[in-house]
Amino acid sequence: MDSSTNLLIQYIIVGLILTAIFVWVVFKIMNIKKEDSPKCCGCSLEGACAKKRTDHKFKIAK
């Protein structure tokens, strides 16, 4: 193989790695939006916060 073929293979591998990273980041962002958590997720006081939760799980049944 000559140097241009090796360079092409390296570009293809780097492109695949960057594509995989991009897909992983998009997947993580979509999962964060879909999680059942309060709007202030990531806050250190998330479990003890007195803010009204908007989840359907916490509505009072009549």
Side-chain angles (χ1 to χ4, degrees):
M1 284 199 245
D2 61 353
S3 63
S4 64
T5 305
N6 288 335
L7 190 59
L8 179 63
I9 292 171
Q10 289 176 5
Y11 281 140
I12 290 171
I13 292 171
V14 169
L16 290 174
I17 291 171
L18 290 176
T19 302
I21 291 170
F22 177 75
V23 168
W24 180 76
V25 168
V26 169
F27 180 74
K28 286 300 226 178
I29 290 173
M30 297 305 278
N31 278 343
I32 288 172
K33 288 182 180 181
K34 290 180 183 178
E35 286 181 1
D36 290 331
S37 62
K39 297 204 182 268
C40 55
C41 64
C43 177
S44 61
L45 298 173
E46 178 182 359
C49 187
K51 287 185 180 180
K52 183 178 178 181
R53 294 185 66 133
T54 59
D55 297 7
H56 295 292
K57 296 178 188 176
F58 296 100
K59 287 187 177 178
I60 299 173
K62 291 184 179 181

